[in-house]
Amino acid sequence: MTTAVTGTTSTTTSASAAMKQELGMNKDDFLKLFIAQLQNQDPLSPQDPTEMLGQLAQMTQVEQAYNTTTALNNLLTSQNNNLALSSVGLIGKDIIALGNQLNFDGSNAVELSYQMPSGTDTTTLTIKNASGATIRTIDLGAQTAGKGTYVWDGMDGQGNQLSAGAYSFSISGIDAAGATQTATTFTTGRADGVTFAEGVAYITIGSVLVPFSDVMRVSTT
């Protein structure tokens, strides 16, 4: 089992340094230039004090904007660190999350969980591979409203045992009024790792990646 937690470090560059890098100067540089301008101005044609104060105010506003950005980035980094600690705590536990992915280990049957919004007269389960191609459709018959499960044996429509990997499923049916009812599907399984990508924490269940924010229930049994 491996756990990769990346993307949680943040830059410690100060707002002043960020201004220096992007604009070529910071407030200190501007003040030096401002003083030099005062010292070297033409006594017979002095600078307009209103314009000079306006320039100083603009630079102060720019620095405040950089300070705000730096503070928000630090807050985001702190939240990501807390998220990393929380997500790592799920390793080894059974989770239920919103989603339509399932992990097949190549031999053991997989229990698929779903919830029907309304009862149906006819219902179809569709299983697809990682490329999105349909590899099996299963007639589930009539379904009642509420939670349901189906145990998939890991075989395709021709009875061939499929290889281990990530698959997806969907369930839909037709009710008594002829309307289509689509089930809410859930990704289930035991968390075996955590990874971060672009600031988002993912719980790994074999080949499946589950966003930490989609986890609905955690159990130790």
Side-chain angles (χ1 to χ4, degrees):
M1 177 184 68
T2 59
T3 303
V5 180
T6 59
T8 58
T9 58
S10 66
T11 178
T12 58
T13 303
S14 66
S16 179
M19 289 177 62
K20 182 82 170 182
Q21 180 177 1
E22 185 168 340
L23 302 179
M25 69 166 61
N26 54 27
K27 189 176 70 174
D28 292 337
D29 296 326
F30 180 82
L31 287 175
K32 292 177 181 178
L33 182 63
F34 186 74
I35 293 172
Q37 185 179 13
L38 290 175
Q39 293 174 337
N40 295 280
Q41 66 180 336
D42 184 353
L44 301 179
S45 180
Q47 293 288 328
D48 183 356
T50 302
E51 181 181 351
M52 296 169 68
L53 288 175
Q55 293 174 355
L56 182 59
Q58 289 177 0
M59 177 57 69
T60 301
Q61 290 174 351
V62 170
E63 184 183 41
Q64 289 176 345
Y66 272 93
N67 284 332
T68 300
T69 300
T70 300
L72 290 175
N73 286 335
N74 290 338
L75 177 60
L76 180 60
T77 297
S78 177
Q79 290 177 334
N80 284 340
N81 288 337
N82 291 334
L83 182 60
L85 293 175
S86 299
S87 57
V88 168
L90 299 185
I91 297 175
K93 298 180 180 180
D94 295 321
I95 66 171
I96 298 176
L98 286 173
N100 67 342
Q101 297 187 86
L102 63 95
N103 178 66
F104 178 53
D105 64 8
S107 57
N108 296 307
V110 183
E111 184 176 86
L112 312 182
S113 297
Y114 58 93
Q115 182 166 337
M116 297 298 301
S118 179
T120 54
D121 293 337
T122 60
T123 315
T124 301
L125 162 65
T126 302
I127 299 176
K128 297 182 179 181
N129 60 20
S131 300
T134 298
I135 48 93
R136 188 174 179 182
T137 56
I138 301 171
D139 181 6
L140 300 182
Q143 295 284 306
T144 58
K147 295 181 179 179
T149 59
Y150 179 84
V151 178
W152 175 49
D153 56 12
M155 294 185 179
D156 64 14
Q158 288 71 47
N160 302 310
Q161 188 75 53
L162 295 170
S163 59
Y167 295 83
S168 63
F169 72 103
S170 61
I171 297 174
S172 62
I174 306 298
D175 62 20
T180 299
Q181 301 293 335
T182 302
T184 300
T185 55
F186 304 98
T187 296
T188 61
R190 179 155 296 179
D192 55 24
V194 175
T195 186
F196 262 77
E198 298 182 354
V200 178
Y202 293 90
I203 310 300
T204 60
I205 304 175
S207 302
V208 170
L209 296 179
V210 179
F212 179 74
S213 59
D214 287 346
V215 176
M216 300 174 57
R217 181 180 175 184
V218 180
S219 62
T220 56
T221 57

